[in-house]
Amino acid sequence: MADASLQSQGYPGTATAPAHYWRSLLLFNLYRTATAVLLLAAARVWGDTLQFGSRDMRLFLGAASAYLVFALAMFAWMRLRERFNWQLAAQVGGDIGFTTVMMYASGGLASGLGLLLLTSLAAAGLVSRGRLTLFFAAIATIAVLLEHSYEVLRFSESGGQYVQAGLLSIAYFTTAWLAHTLAKRTVASEQLAAQREIDLANMAQVNQLVIQDMEQGVIVVDGDGVVRQSNSAATRMVGGLSGSGVIRLKDHLPALQDLFERWLRDPALVDGPNLFEIDASLRARFVPVAKRRGAGAVIFLEDLARIRSEARQMKLAALGRLTANIAHEIRNPLGAISHAAELLQEDPAAVAGSARLTMIIRDNVRRLDRMINDVQMLNRGERAERERFRLAPYLQAFVAQFSETERLEGNEIELELVADPHIMFDRDHLNQVLWNLCRNALRHSTRRPGCIRLQVMRASRSNAVRLDVVDDGAGVPAESRVKLFEPFFTTDPGGTGLGLHLAREICEANGAMLEYVEGPGGARFAVTCAAG
């Protein structure tokens, strides 16, 4: 019941008090031990000249010695780390009891020993952090009044000293109340600090998650260019920013370090899209972490390739909507033209020259119709239904079908199977991609045996397969390679300019990649897809 009462008044649990409570109690007992030693020493050295022990030196020395033994015993009890509340109450009670006895042995209030209890009450209030310190002040007041009353009754002391005893009691309560108030404020400050620490930790965790999920690269550096923090996007762009030890910008991206030093030297330097370009694919923006630039900066890295890709996708999306509308509007009059050409060709009264003109109309109508089909396929965005199958048998069947359709002799296409893997791809989509690439290769080849080669090999990255379509033609001119996969770009007067663009879109829908590989000889297109 006593422990529960103490806890309700602000004490910690009796069994599991925090470590700093025990540390405070230890310092309190060190003060008690030092006080007992000083009182004994003073009585031994200056006993005849001091007030200490003036009434009964033997009793004073006995009480001071017992006080020292009591303090040492408290050290042994504290090592058990149990019943904190009872230990504190016992120590303060011992202070009151032994101090009162030494006061009596030294002549009462005139000895001044009652002032020692002020320190004990203040320490008790700070250690206990509860209202029980007022109880200790009341016990000390009662002890002082009883001691003085005993002196008045036995030694006929003057009753006027009750005023001094009352003032000392007021001092006890004042000290206890101030200590209690300061302790409550300390507890409130500790709780607020703990809550702020939790809030700061949560905020730091949220900021870390936000930074890690940003598409922009983020690097925090100090004034010396030492990396303090970075996200995964920055590591992907720059590389080498993760790991233990000191990481410096100049070791991984000297160009960025030079730009950072320039930014530090010139306070008037303003941010601009071209001013902070590191290279053709990376751009940096600096934000100071403090008013003084020398403290460091937060560096935001932007992947220009991604920005250009997003701009290209937006442009293609707008272009796709426009072309879809145009294709829809063209199809109806185109059908009418085709039908009129057929009627004109069937007319018996048509002259011989009209047949040639009609054939030209029909060929161009078919070309326009094929272009409209490609445009509609471009905007349809069909979902890929990938499946796992072996590549070698599929390619053998494709070569046979392609040779028969294009009326080849059968030896124009060669298969070079370095491996025979399984792949994950939509069969119809892969068939469409290969038809486009092989028709382009056939158109630009010499049409001799082995003019087209299909090479299957393991890709450089793990769990991937690479399929190359190579011809023996002149290759793609250097000035045309940049625009090779752009829509409506073609070097063939009869082409639509959508074949390679559609092939790349189909590959991306299947988680694959289509690219042009530069090299000696003819053109080489590589399809890199996931292995099954």
Side-chain angles (χ1 to χ4, degrees):
M1 292 293 291
D3 289 345
S5 175
L6 294 176
Q7 289 184 29
S8 67
Q9 298 183 53
Y11 277 74
T14 57
T16 57
H20 62 274
Y21 278 80
W22 292 105
R23 188 163 53 250
S24 301
L25 192 62
L26 176 64
L27 294 175
F28 186 23
N29 200 53
L30 285 173
Y31 157 77
R32 182 178 297 105
T33 305
T35 301
V37 171
L38 289 175
L39 290 174
L40 283 173
R44 290 291 186 184
V45 177
W46 302 290
D48 296 337
T49 59
L50 296 177
Q51 183 72 21
F52 298 160
S54 59
R55 176 174 292 162
D56 190 342
M57 178 60 72
R58 187 174 181 182
L59 177 61
F60 180 84
L61 292 176
S65 300
Y67 192 32
L68 178 60
V69 173
F70 170 76
L72 296 176
M74 289 297 101
F75 282 119
W77 193 9
M78 279 189 290
R79 295 185 63 181
L80 300 178
R81 286 291 193 273
E82 62 180 13
R83 305 184 72 83
F84 175 87
N85 301 327
W86 286 107
Q87 290 195 38
L88 177 62
Q91 290 187 22
V92 178
D95 291 340
I96 295 173
F98 288 113
T99 301
T100 303
V101 172
M102 288 187 288
M103 283 176 57
Y104 171 76
S106 301
L109 293 174
S111 65
L113 291 174
L115 298 176
L116 292 176
L117 292 179
L118 292 175
T119 306
S120 296
L121 292 173
L126 295 175
V127 173
S128 65
R129 305 189 181 190
R131 297 180 182 275
L132 199 59
T133 183
L134 298 177
F135 171 73
F136 294 145
I139 297 299
T141 298
I142 293 173
V144 169
L145 292 176
L146 288 177
E147 188 276 334
H148 185 64
S149 298
Y150 181 75
E151 288 186 356
V152 171
L153 293 176
R154 180 164 182 182
F155 301 107
S156 300
E157 294 285 346
S158 172
Q161 289 189 339
Y162 274 112
V163 176
Q164 185 177 351
L167 293 176
L168 187 60
S169 300
I170 293 174
Y172 288 162
F173 277 100
T174 302
T175 301
W177 179 256
L178 289 176
H180 163 66
T181 304
L182 290 176
K184 285 185 64 177
R185 291 187 177 182
T186 302
V187 172
S189 298
E190 289 180 352
Q191 293 176 349
L192 182 61
Q195 184 61 40
R196 291 292 184 268
E197 183 179 0
I198 295 174
D199 294 340
L200 288 175
N202 293 336
M203 186 179 298
Q205 186 176 8
V206 171
N207 290 339
Q208 184 69 18
L209 292 175
V210 171
I211 290 174
Q212 288 298 329
D213 288 341
M214 288 179 62
E215 293 183 354
Q216 285 185 325
V218 178
I219 305 175
V220 183
V221 296
D222 60 15
D224 298 326
V226 177
V227 177
R228 298 300 182 184
Q229 187 178 3
S230 62
N231 64 350
S232 56
T235 303
R236 184 177 65 253
M237 295 177 188
V238 179
L241 294 179
S242 59
S244 58
V246 178
I247 301 174
R248 299 182 181 275
L249 277 182
K250 63 181 181 181
D251 297 333
H252 301 281
L253 199 60
L256 183 58
Q257 174 67 22
D258 295 340
L259 189 59
F260 176 60
E261 292 176 354
R262 181 186 171 193
W263 178 79
L264 288 176
R265 290 192 303 266
D266 189 359
L269 194 64
V270 296
D271 193 1
N274 298 319
L275 188 59
F276 294 129
E277 281 195 7
I278 301 172
D279 51 34
S281 62
L282 202 60
R283 183 171 62 190
R285 180 168 60 91
F286 298 94
V287 177
V289 296
K291 292 182 178 180
R292 185 177 60 89
R293 286 194 175 190
V298 180
I299 304 176
F300 294 93
L301 299 178
E302 296 181 353
D303 187 354
L304 295 179
R306 180 183 60 82
I307 295 175
R308 294 190 186 103
S309 176
E310 291 178 354
R312 183 173 63 88
Q313 292 297 329
M314 293 177 63
K315 182 176 70 173
L316 290 177
L319 181 62
R321 290 191 294 270
L322 175 63
T323 53
N325 293 332
I326 294 175
H328 178 72
E329 295 298 328
I330 289 177
R331 171 148 283 178
N332 292 332
L334 193 63
I337 293 172
S338 177
H339 183 64
E342 290 178 358
L343 294 177
L344 183 61
Q345 190 175 16
E346 295 175 359
D347 187 1
V351 296
S354 300
R356 177 176 172 274
L357 296 177
T358 305
M359 184 61 66
I360 294 175
I361 293 174
R362 294 184 61 183
D363 290 342
N364 283 277
V365 166
R366 281 195 295 268
R367 179 169 175 263
L368 288 173
D369 188 64
R370 186 169 68 252
M371 183 181 296
I372 290 173
N373 289 332
D374 290 343
V375 168
Q376 289 181 336
M377 185 179 298
L378 176 66
N379 288 278
R380 189 161 55 240
E382 296 179 355
R383 292 185 57 186
E385 297 180 359
R386 294 195 294 173
E387 56 180 305
R388 180 177 181 270
F389 59 91
R390 285 182 60 190
L391 187 56
Y394 170 84
L395 290 178
Q396 292 170 355
F398 170 80
V399 169
Q401 182 183 10
F402 184 81
S403 299
E404 181 179 354
T405 303
E406 297 295 329
R407 299 176 181 177
L408 303 179
E409 296 182 1
N411 56 358
E412 285 86 350
I413 302 180
E414 292 183 356
L415 277 178
E416 297 181 6
L417 301 174
V418 180
D420 183 15
H422 289 77
I423 65 170
M424 294 296 296
F425 218 103
D426 187 311
R427 286 177 180 266
D428 294 335
H429 286 179
L430 182 58
N431 195 64
Q432 186 175 350
V433 171
L434 288 179
W435 270 92
N436 186 284
L437 295 178
C438 288
R439 274 180 172 167
N440 286 344
L442 183 63
R443 186 167 59 251
H444 295 93
S445 69
T446 60
R447 290 186 175 262
R448 292 182 297 188
C451 63
I452 301 175
R453 288 176 291 137
L454 301 181
Q455 298 176 340
V456 178
M457 64 194 78
R458 289 287 181 181
S460 57
R461 63 186 178 93
S462 59
N463 198 31
V465 178
R466 175 170 160 173
L467 170 61
D468 287 8
V469 179
V470 189
D471 63 61
D472 63 351
V476 180
E479 62 273 10
S480 300
R481 293 171 187 172
V482 180
K483 303 179 180 180
L484 198 56
F485 294 97
E486 290 187 3
F488 304 109
F489 173 76
T490 180
T491 57
D492 183 11
T496 64
L498 291 174
L500 287 177
H501 179 75
L502 281 173
R504 171 172 278 188
E505 294 290 329
I506 290 173
C507 287
E508 290 179 355
N510 285 269
M513 180 175 60
L514 173 61
E515 57 186 342
Y516 177 79
V517 181
E518 298 183 8
R524 177 186 292 267
F525 290 88
V527 178
T528 305
C529 59

